[in-house]
Every structure is written in C-alpha cells, then in structure tokens.
Amino acid sequence: MARAERRDASNRARSNEGVAFLLVAGLVAGLACAPWPAFAQDVYKWVDENGETHYSQTLPPERVQQEHARIASDGRVAETVDRAPTAEERAELARRIRAERDAAQRARLEAQQDRLFLAAYPTEEAVRDSIEAQRQVLDAELGSVDALMQQARTRLNQRLTNAAALERDGRPVPDHLAEEIRSARDNWAELDQRRANLQRRLDGLEPLLAEELARFRRLTGTEPTAAPDPAGDDATSEDAG
C-alpha cells in the first residue's frame, strides 16, 4: 500500500514538471514574437538659443521653422531641416535671382549685338569707312543748316530794319510785322539748336571711331592697323602724274 502511494506521488511530480516546462516555453515564444517597445520611434534633435541640445519624440511648434534633425529608431539621421529664411533673406534671395537673370539676359544681348557688329564690319577698314560716311552726312547737314541760318538772319534783319524805320518816323509797328519778327527769331533759335546738335554729333565721331575699332579688335583678337593717309595718297597720285 505504501509502495503504491509513493509511485503515485512520483507520477504527479513528473506531470507538474512537464506543465511548468510548457509554460516557460510558451512565455519565451511569446516574447520572441512580441513587437518592439513603444519608445523605439523617431526622435527630434535641436539646439536652442543657449546652445543646449534637446531630444524629443515630438517637435515643439516653435521649432518647426527652425533648424532640427529627425533621428530614426536605429540611431541614424533620417532628415535634416534647415532654418526657414526670414522675410529679409527671402527678399535678398529674390533680388539676387533677378540680378543674375538680368545679367544673363544682358550677356545674351551683348553676344547677339557682337555677332551683328562683326557681320556689318568684317574688317577694320569697314569700321573706318562707316564713320567716314557718317561724317560726310553730318557735314552736308551742317552746311544745309548754315545756309538756312543765313537766310533766316537776312529775313530777321530786314524786318528789324523795317520796324526801326517805322519807330523813327513815330509810327507804330504793325501787328503782322511784330509777329513776323517773333517768328523769325524763333526760327533762328531752332536752327541754332539744330546746328549745335549736329556739331556735337560731328565732334563725337572721333571717340566713336576709337571705341568701335577697340571693339572690333577685342572681338577678332587682331592688332591695330595703320589708318590710310589721305596726304600720302595725294602725293602718290601727283608722283604718278
């Protein structure tokens, strides 16, 4: 009887050990299959105005527009956000962009104008001939204006003489004569201004020639060539004769 009781007790102990083993094995399997803890998520990092570094799982609203970094759960930097520019910085950036765009446009226009310049003046002699043609045109216009001024001076002097004779005789100057005198003076002033403009253009041809020749040499990479000597040509013609 005692032997049977000891055998039953031994069997119950082995059964309890088996149950305990199954419980431990199930717990280990459950832990192995469980997800990562809740705190294993992205973290934000930023430095405040005092130079202190902060870490937080949520980014404060006031830091959204400031420089910060997002660190992934594996410790690597997943994203870096720069500080948002101020209104003054945005305005300065827009100004620089416009300046660069304008400079690029000017460069394109200058390049186009240079191509047209070389097409019009393939040689240095062509540049000189163009300036000389302009000089001849201006000289002709200047001569025409001088002739008109001489006529206007004659008409004005005649009317002034007539008006002076009437005043010496004690007679009034007629309205039409006074109007003719005013018109003649206005005509004279207009012609005088026109002549001054022509003379300024004529005086500017020499600097213009120097500028155009320098431009031609810069674009073609050529050295200056001697200008033709009219006196030498005349001497050569006389010698030939």
Side-chain angles (χ1 to χ4, degrees):
M1 181 68 177
R3 188 179 298 121
E5 290 177 355
R6 287 196 298 271
R7 190 171 49 251
D8 292 340
S10 177
N11 291 335
R12 285 196 300 270
R14 286 195 295 269
S15 176
N16 290 336
E17 289 176 359
V19 172
F21 174 79
L22 292 176
L23 289 175
V24 171
L27 178 61
V28 171
L31 291 175
C33 296
W36 288 97
F39 57 82
Q41 59 181 338
D42 291 356
V43 174
Y44 293 96
K45 173 187 175 182
W46 74 91
V47 180
D48 62 18
E49 293 75 7
N50 298 322
E52 183 178 354
T53 302
H54 298 265
Y55 294 89
S56 175
Q57 292 181 350
T58 59
L59 188 65
E62 65 273 11
R63 302 301 306 180
V64 173
Q65 298 297 324
Q66 303 298 322
E67 182 178 0
H68 62 273
R70 182 170 60 85
I71 302 176
S73 58
D74 58 1
R76 63 182 177 83
V77 178
E79 180 184 14
T80 300
V81 178
D82 295 330
R83 176 181 62 83
T86 63
E88 292 77 9
E89 291 171 339
R90 290 196 298 271
E92 176 62 19
L93 178 61
R95 186 196 64 79
R96 289 202 303 266
I97 292 175
R98 288 195 301 270
E100 292 173 0
R101 183 174 61 247
D102 293 343
Q105 184 176 2
R106 285 195 300 271
R108 288 194 297 270
L109 290 176
E110 289 176 1
Q112 181 181 7
Q113 292 172 356
D114 288 342
R115 290 193 296 270
L116 294 175
F117 178 85
L118 291 178
Y121 308 115
T123 64
E124 211 174 277
E125 187 63 26
V127 176
R128 298 181 188 278
D129 290 344
S130 174
I131 298 299
E132 180 59 29
Q134 295 180 54
R135 188 190 310 278
Q136 293 177 5
V137 171
L138 290 174
D139 280 338
E141 291 185 17
L142 201 60
S144 298
V145 171
D146 285 340
L148 292 174
M149 291 183 69
Q150 180 63 38
Q151 296 174 9
R153 183 184 296 110
T154 300
R155 289 194 300 270
L156 177 59
N157 289 338
Q158 289 175 350
R159 285 159 178 74
L160 290 174
T161 300
N162 294 337
L166 292 172
E167 290 176 347
R168 284 195 302 269
D169 294 340
R171 292 181 294 174
V173 177
D175 292 341
H176 72 275
L177 181 56
E179 179 61 29
E180 289 175 357
I181 292 174
R182 284 193 295 271
S183 178
R185 284 173 173 165
D186 291 343
N187 186 31
W188 169 264
E190 180 182 352
L191 289 171
D192 186 58
Q193 181 64 40
R194 182 179 172 186
R195 190 186 193 286
N197 292 337
L198 288 171
Q199 188 62 52
R200 278 195 296 270
R201 292 170 59 188
L202 193 59
D203 295 340
L205 287 182
E206 281 303 321
L208 178 61
L209 175 60
E211 179 182 345
E212 297 288 70
L213 288 175
R215 181 183 183 185
F216 176 83
R217 293 162 187 164
R218 173 178 60 83
L219 295 176
T220 59
T222 56
E223 296 296 330
T225 59
D229 186 2
D233 293 343
D234 293 342
T236 301
S237 299
E238 290 176 0
D239 293 341

